[in-house]
Amino acid sequence: MLPDGNGTDVCRELRSWSQAPVIVLSAVGEERQKIAALDAGADDYVTKPFSVDELLARLRAVLRRRAPEHEPVLSVGDLEDRRRRASRHRPRRGV
């Protein structure tokens, strides 16, 4: 339970400005709640209790579905930003 609303409202608001993957973790296992969250834009809905291995597998599945065909890369000087993982390369300086 969220203090200022519910996960479905949060998901709906998030979807109004972002396509970030959303997995709802909930103690509520009622079918209508699951459907409401998925219809609001959640990518998956997991009810408690669940194992860490199950959650990690679901995260991998969501990220696989969201992965771009060709990973876009933005490079400016020595900085490089990849969509799937950000890394910064700085030249090493002698001490």
Side-chain angles (χ1 to χ4, degrees), residues 20-36:
V22 174
I23 298 178
V24 174
L25 307 177
S26 179
V28 179
E30 296 176 21
E31 184 179 33
R32 64 183 176 84
Q33 290 294 94
K34 292 178 184 180
I35 292 169

Side-chain angles (χ1 to χ4, degrees), residues 34-80:
K34 292 178 184 180
I35 292 169
L38 293 167
D39 284 346
D43 295 290
D44 201 351
Y45 191 105
V46 183
T47 54
K48 297 175 186 176
F50 54 85
S51 71
V52 171
D53 289 336
E54 177 186 1
L55 180 59
L56 291 174
R58 290 175 181 274
L59 285 167
R60 287 190 301 270
V62 167
L63 292 175
R64 259 193 322 271
R65 289 191 298 269
R66 297 280 181 161
E69 286 184 28
H70 302 286
E71 186 176 335
V73 176
L74 171 66
S75 295
V76 178
D78 292 329
L79 297 176
E80 185 176 286

